[in-house]
Amino acid sequence: MANLFADEGFPLPVVEELRRLGHEVVTTREIGKANQRWPDPEVFAWASSAGRAVLTINRRHFRRFHETQPDHAGLILCTADADFLGQARRIHEAIASVESLKGLRIQIVRPG
């Protein structure tokens, strides 16, 4: 399964469901960076160096990183979605079919 990093704004229920589905997900809080307004470039750099794809709803900023720094561990850009279990399943289905997330930008959109 995938090694993922959920940035600070990413919903914890989605993280928990992804873990239940077998993915290894680390959160900002778990690495001691919660509530520190950690700048996006540093989040991106940390995740890349740790070999973890970023899970974020901050699509605009991270999309730019993909365009300017394509050698990363992966980006999963999501729309905000109150259906946390559904969002986790959509993420799981999107990444289950790829061998590696390295350099990929995957977009997960809310249905409808």
Side-chain angles (χ1 to χ4, degrees):
M1 293 291 160
N3 290 324
L4 307 171
F5 175 68
D7 74 357
E8 186 143 26
F10 201 79
L12 188 56
V14 179
V15 168
E16 292 167 345
E17 181 64 9
L18 286 168
R19 287 174 175 162
R20 193 189 70 71
L21 291 168
H23 300 283
E24 185 180 316
V25 188
V26 174
T27 66
T28 305
R29 178 173 302 283
E30 292 166 343
I31 64 164
K33 292 290 190 177
N35 303 314
Q36 294 184 21
R37 297 182 183 219
W38 201 17
D40 293 338
E42 291 179 26
V43 169
F44 180 76
W46 184 91
S48 292
S49 68
R52 294 184 174 275
V54 175
L55 288 166
T56 186
I57 56 173
N58 185 358
R59 297 177 318 226
R60 185 177 57 196
H61 293 132
F62 284 90
R63 185 179 300 126
R64 282 189 226 137
F65 297 140
H66 173 73
E67 294 165 359
T68 60
Q69 301 171 57
D71 187 29
H72 55 76
L75 291 171
I76 302 169
L77 310 176
C78 303
T79 55
D81 189 344
D83 177 10
F84 299 131
L85 295 180
Q87 186 173 42
R89 282 191 298 274
R90 285 189 296 282
I91 293 167
H92 174 71
E93 289 167 5
I95 64 179
S97 63
V98 297
E99 188 172 316
S100 171
L101 294 171
K102 186 167 177 53
L104 294 182
R105 182 185 80 189
I106 297 172
Q107 295 197 181
I108 306 296
V109 296
R110 178 180 56 250

